[in-house]
Amino acid sequence: MFAYAVRRVLATIPVMAIVALFVFSLLYIAPGDPAAVIAGDQATPQDVERIRASLGLDRPFLVRFGEWVWNILNGNMGVSIFTNLPVTTMIQQRIEPTLSLMVLTLCLAVSIAVPMGVIAAWKQGSWIDRAVMGFAVLGFSVPVFVVGYVLAYIFALELDWLPVQGYTAFREGFFPWLENLILPAIALGGVYIALIARITRATMLEVLQQDYIRTARAKGAGQRSILFLHALKNAAVPIVTVIGIGVALLIGGAVVTESVFAIPGLGRLTVDAILRRDYPVIQGVVLLFSFVYVLVNLLIDLLYTLFDPRIRY
């Protein structure tokens, strides 16, 4: 188990190196001269050169990349071109709303999708199974922003049950925090619930055909015990895998969801930075999202040792 964990941790190093190279190259592969775009049409050549120097575009690529990586390792992601604030400070100011939204969405999705998939497999061919699969198809088909606008119109504007936008910090109370995030979490979690429910159903159908399930039934085990203790445990590896892969959906969907519900998180920060061509902020946020995705998948790989005895040593 220890050797497997070490191999997986070491394997993330070249992945993050490639990600860092790509993120840093965004400044160079962007169309046009980034310095001229940032400076605007009314800028003088001196203004453009000053911006080029601040971005490091007047130095060799590899030298600048090495300095950037060194600064990242020391916690320095650069300074925003427009706000003149450190990128790390801007991320710290915006990370709580995004983290809250993703955690709430993940909890809702797993707690809803896994039982849905289990019940659909148990009732294969019934109206329950068809309803779950129909919901899964609908969840994949409808974009996040459409779901968000519909929910905001119904529950915020028409019924006036929940706030339509904004964010309340968790330290100001659990229920105010939940009121502001429940609609965004439902909108963001629709496709995630559909994905997990379909994978859960497919893996449970396969497991329920195994000999040890028939043996458990023959011994008189209850249906609930068979489903959740015997079958679900052995179907957990694909389900846990898709939960980890689905983090990418949460990261991408958070950008759209935060824009729809005006949540001041990292997704909204990313959109604003892209519109203003604030490259240091774009690089910092994209690198952070990439690191989170790689870290989550590393944790998923390590969790395999709890479910698959073949890789414990």
Side-chain angles (χ1 to χ4, degrees), residues 237-285:
V237 172
I239 298 172
V240 171
T241 301
V242 80
I243 290 174
I245 295 174
V247 172
L249 295 176
L250 294 183
I251 293 175
V255 176
V256 178
T257 306
E258 289 180 3
S259 298
V260 171
F261 290 94
I263 299 174
L266 293 178
R268 187 71 178 271
L269 177 64
T270 303
V271 173
D272 294 341
I274 291 173
L275 293 177
R276 297 187 299 184
R277 299 290 184 93
D278 198 341
Y279 289 101
V281 176
I282 298 174
Q283 290 173 331
V285 175

Side-chain angles (χ1 to χ4, degrees), residues 196-278:
I196 299 174
R198 292 189 65 173
I199 295 298
T200 302
R201 176 185 180 274
T203 53
M204 285 291 294
L205 285 175
E206 181 179 352
V207 170
L208 288 174
Q209 304 302 319
Q210 300 299 317
D211 292 337
Y212 61 86
I213 298 296
R214 287 192 288 269
T215 302
R217 288 197 178 103
K219 289 182 176 181
Q223 191 65 45
R224 181 179 301 178
S225 174
I226 291 174
L227 289 175
F228 291 98
L229 294 182
H230 297 280
L232 184 58
K233 180 179 179 180
N234 289 279
V237 172
I239 298 172
V240 171
T241 301
V242 80
I243 290 174
I245 295 174
V247 172
L249 295 176
L250 294 183
I251 293 175
V255 176
V256 178
T257 306
E258 289 180 3
S259 298
V260 171
F261 290 94
I263 299 174
L266 293 178
R268 187 71 178 271
L269 177 64
T270 303
V271 173
D272 294 341
I274 291 173
L275 293 177
R276 297 187 299 184
R277 299 290 184 93
D278 198 341

Side-chain angles (χ1 to χ4, degrees), residues 68-82:
W68 183 75
V69 171
W70 177 255
N71 290 333
I72 292 294
L73 294 176
N74 286 276
N76 180 15
M77 292 185 173
V79 178
S80 170
I81 298 172
F82 291 92

